[in-house]
Amino acid sequence: MTTVDQARGHGAPPWRRLVRSELHRLTAPPAVRRVAVALPLLTLAFGLSKLFTHSPDTGPALRESEARYREFLDQAARTGMPTGSIGRDNFFDDPRYLMESLSFGDLRTVLLGLCVAATVFGIAGGGADWASRVMLTLTAAEPRRGRLFLTRGLLVGGLSMAVTALCGLLLVPCLLLAAQLRGSTAGLDAAYWAVLSGQLLRGIVLVGLLALLGYSLAAMTRHVPVALAVVFGYLAGAGWIFGGRGPRLAEYDMDGLTFAVLNEKPVIPMAESDCVAGPSCEAVHVDLTSADGFAGILLYLLPVLLLALWRATRTDVR
């Protein structure tokens, strides 16, 4: 086969073989395999920890709340502070695991951790071969560089989403067990499960998008440390960039966008929000929906993805 044929893509391997080889390349590093095993185990540990951090015995908590309430009344009497509608319930910290109200936050915590892991995995998948000069061999074996770039990107996102789905399926039974043994399963009707499933599905898509963002950033810079520096530099400077500039700009902060995507409620109006400060709170205050969150994340992803694809298809491989 001539060089001209290879340049036209006639020497490229079949797509299935390319997928298998790229899948092996992405999962071959020992660190990747260890993390892939550790994430489900950590999710299990997090879910089972609810058995030890919650208790069905509400007696001590009720006595403590009563003591705190009396202390509050004494202080209010000494200072003349009005008590308003504040009652004993405001000082009661329920030790039980109430799945209807607590599971959404626990699932969000796990999903946020997986978002971070997926971003780092994407950066490693997109930049490691450039740092080790392996890309010279890969582009010789796969002349159609656009196909190589897209195949690896799909695998990075797909693997991240698969691990997220597994972790979610492991977490929910652990939380259900904690609720049965250390709390209450009241309110777990069809509407609840629909909301929880929707939150998990949105989290799976979010993790895939962030993995693709990390992959595109590393493929564009062709350097893992530079890509990591960009990510951490953004996280360090986001508060300065968006803070104090009004809620409309706060919508585009990644913190607020991910909060909107992973929020169990479709919309939290300002009057009903308990948030008081921070970009994510300002984003909630302008009634961001999950669709708005995804749209904002795509504003981050698409330019970087197109630039990375453009650079990947250039003739220079240096």
Side-chain angles (χ1 to χ4, degrees), residues 70-87:
R70 286 198 301 268
E71 181 181 352
F72 167 74
L73 291 179
D74 293 341
Q75 183 179 2
R78 288 195 304 269
T79 60
M81 180 179 62
T83 58
S85 60
I86 300 177

Side-chain angles (χ1 to χ4, degrees), residues 32-312:
V32 172
R33 297 189 178 187
R34 285 195 291 267
V35 171
V37 173
L39 289 175
L41 294 178
L42 289 173
T43 301
L44 277 175
F46 176 75
L48 294 175
S49 69
K50 304 303 174 181
L51 293 170
F52 305 98
T53 57
H54 292 80
S55 171
D57 184 9
T58 59
L62 286 172
R63 290 190 292 271
E64 181 181 356
S65 66
E66 182 67 27
R68 292 170 59 189
Y69 180 61
R70 286 198 301 268
E71 181 181 352
F72 167 74
L73 291 179
D74 293 341
Q75 183 179 2
R78 288 195 304 269
T79 60
M81 180 179 62
T83 58
S85 60
I86 300 177
R88 291 177 175 82
D89 293 342
N90 297 100
F91 297 90
F92 178 62
D93 186 10
D94 199 330
R96 298 173 298 169
Y97 188 80
L98 306 178
M99 187 165 180
E100 183 186 15
S101 58
L102 298 178
S103 57
F104 298 109
D106 291 333
L107 179 57
R108 189 187 311 75
T109 299
V110 171
L111 291 173
L112 288 174
L114 292 171
C115 285
V116 175
T119 304
V120 176
F121 173 60
I123 290 175
D129 287 337
W130 290 105
S132 62
R133 313 300 291 174
V134 174
M135 191 57 68
L136 295 172
T137 304
L138 292 179
T139 52
E142 173 52 70
R144 288 183 285 190
R145 297 171 188 172
R147 190 174 78 149
L148 175 63
F149 173 84
L150 294 175
T151 299
R152 181 173 291 191
L154 289 174
L155 287 174
V156 166
L159 289 172
S160 301
M161 294 171 70
V163 172
T164 303
L166 174 62
C167 290
L169 293 176
L170 291 174
L171 175 67
V172 173
C174 294
L175 299 183
L176 187 59
L177 178 64
Q180 291 175 339
L181 299 180
R182 292 290 187 269
S184 173
T185 58
L188 304 189
D189 53 12
Y192 164 83
W193 289 111
V195 174
L196 188 69
S197 300
Q199 184 186 28
L200 176 59
L201 290 175
R202 293 195 304 273
I204 291 172
V205 176
L206 175 64
V207 167
L209 291 177
L210 292 181
L212 190 57
L213 177 61
Y215 167 77
S216 301
L217 187 61
M220 183 180 66
T221 59
R222 297 182 177 180
H223 207 259
V224 172
V226 172
L228 288 172
V230 170
V231 171
F232 288 111
Y234 166 79
L235 294 177
W240 176 82
I241 295 171
F242 296 100
R245 288 169 171 78
R248 303 310 301 177
L249 277 181
E251 293 182 21
Y252 298 98
D253 176 65
M254 188 63 75
D255 183 24
L257 294 173
T258 54
F259 185 90
V261 171
L262 298 179
N263 180 34
E264 66 273 15
K265 298 181 181 179
V267 174
I268 301 183
M270 182 186 301
E272 299 180 12
S273 175
D274 295 329
C275 256
V276 293
S280 61
C281 297
E282 293 179 346
V284 171
H285 287 170
V286 294
D287 298 352
L288 277 181
T289 65
S290 59
D292 297 326
F294 278 124
I297 290 171
L298 288 176
L299 289 178
Y300 280 92
L301 172 61
L302 290 180
V304 179
L305 178 63
L306 293 176
L307 285 173
L309 178 60
W310 169 78
R311 194 172 187 194

